[in-house]
Amino acid sequence: MVPKSLNFNLHLHPHPSFPSAISRINPRPSNFVTTTPLLSSTAITIRSNTIHDQANFHHLSLGRSPIFTTMASTQHNPSPKFDEFESDPTLTNDDLKPTTLDQRTFSRWELASLWVGLVVGVPTYYLAGSLVDLGMAWWQGIATVVAANIILLVPLVLTGHPGTKYGISFPVLARSSFGIYGAHIPTLLRALVGCGWYGIETWIGGEAIFILLPNSIKQSSLSQVLPWLGTSPLEFGCFIVFWLAQLAIVWKGMDGIRELEKYSAPVLIALTSCLLIWAYVKAGGFSHMLSLSSRLTSKQFWSLFFPSLTANISFWATLALNIPDFTRYAKSQTDQIIGQAGLPIFMGAFTFVGLAVTCSTEVIFGRVISNPIQLLGQIGGFTTIILAIFGVSLATLTTNIAANVVAPANALVNLSPSKFTFRRGAILTALLGIAFQPWRLLKSSESFVYTWLVGYSALLGPIGGIILADYYLIHNKNLSMKDLYSVSPFGDYYYSGGYNLAAMAALLVGILPVVPGFLQKIGLVSSISDAYVIIYNNAWFFSFFSAGLLYWLLSSLTRKQKSLPAEEPLLPPAN
């Protein structure tokens, strides 16, 4: 449970014309067999694809060998091509295969519902309010949040494109830039951050359960903090109850998550509206909030704005990486773009609710109550509390499961497809969430925001820059599906022993300059130069663009060298 002394200045998060889906087939040794005659002996239903710039993938079962059939179309003259191959068993299972037409069930409205479920929650509630506490005017706090999400919408849509076009998840997409085996590095870094957020969000959900308990239990010896545990047995027990409740939904896989998000969105919107109306009526309007002006000078504002912008971008930087895990189920590129376009609006609207309600509590109760869970425990009778806590729990579930389970689970599946399924990966993610001991992570306030959020953006920023540079600048949106699932040394993504050294170098260049600022934030270094302070305050921007640019330069150079024809010798060889 977050201590009252923090004043809840927390930014919590759980806390993206296609000529052919098949790249050129070189006359080189390969473990894959291309056999178009098989088509004549196999009953295959070809559906015409009218969606521009999208490839759909069908999985056929011929004997015991999994075979991917790729269908692609252009805008004016659809020309399906097929590439049948056996995927390497160490690189695929049912969770890593491209999605089929039947699995493309996410419409634009369901993707928008996904974002509503992600946005409406306790972490988002704090965002603008924490910036106001730091000295910004109310409109400056909300504008900072909206600006960050408008910026982040660009990589979200761009990274979501290959997910929809090829039906592949983030770990498979990462193979293109980092290499068949090198892809484990970015996916596990993303998974690590996700596990930490999973624990944090689960702790928030457990706090909602704790409020429902009778005072006689909350005041018993079970509420006494155990030094070795770092919290009380009662609070830890509530945490475990909520932890188990989430597993019941995760166990159903992506279909269960889609249903949860779809039906939760209208409920969350309704409950949020009720809370806002309650605050407006009880406080006699929002005049108190609107009267809050900036306490910062112009220089102070800009020194606060950029690290705050970076922290707010970091809020969803995790999803900006693994958004293909969701857009691979989208019906079309139009659906994935429109479905995500509402993110800045949703974030702006809900942070306004959080700020308005928080400011109203000073008028209603005579003191500021920034924790929505504590507020909900005081606004009415038992029925009202039950309804309110249900809303908090639902909001936490929708955010935590979608944002912090899918990516780590898929990363573990990619690490060992023969040992991990999505379910097993989700269970291990949940267990690691406990190991992070989120009750200890939440013991600090500003250090949590500017160390955790800004700090991990230095890990995720360069990964995003490298993946986008690879997909759009190096491969021009054309990937070889055959080579994404091949360990052949002749494959396009095998590079050097399965690792792309250019991506590794770019990743290090993106991360290392941010390290001095991070070390200062955690107290290991007393002073650093102003240049490192600026780099750290803009960690996501710096790491994203520096890593992406370096990767593009290195990859362009190496690909140009590979494409040069062998020169004829000037003199004939000696006899």
Side-chain angles (χ1 to χ4, degrees), residues 223-272:
S223 296
Q224 300 300 316
V225 175
L226 299 178
W228 62 270
L229 182 61
T231 186
S232 69
L234 186 59
E235 291 172 302
F236 183 77
C238 293
F239 167 73
I240 294 299
V241 169
F242 196 81
W243 183 88
L244 291 171
Q246 292 176 115
L247 286 185
I249 298 172
V250 172
W251 194 253
K252 295 182 179 181
M254 285 301 299
D255 286 336
I257 295 174
R258 180 175 66 89
E259 293 298 313
L260 172 69
E261 303 292 342
K262 178 180 179 180
Y263 294 109
S264 297
V267 176
L268 293 173
I269 291 174
L271 292 174
T272 301

Side-chain angles (χ1 to χ4, degrees), residues 114-129:
L114 170 70
W115 278 110
V116 171
L118 287 166
V119 166
V120 178
V122 175
T124 313
Y125 186 96
Y126 291 126
L127 286 179

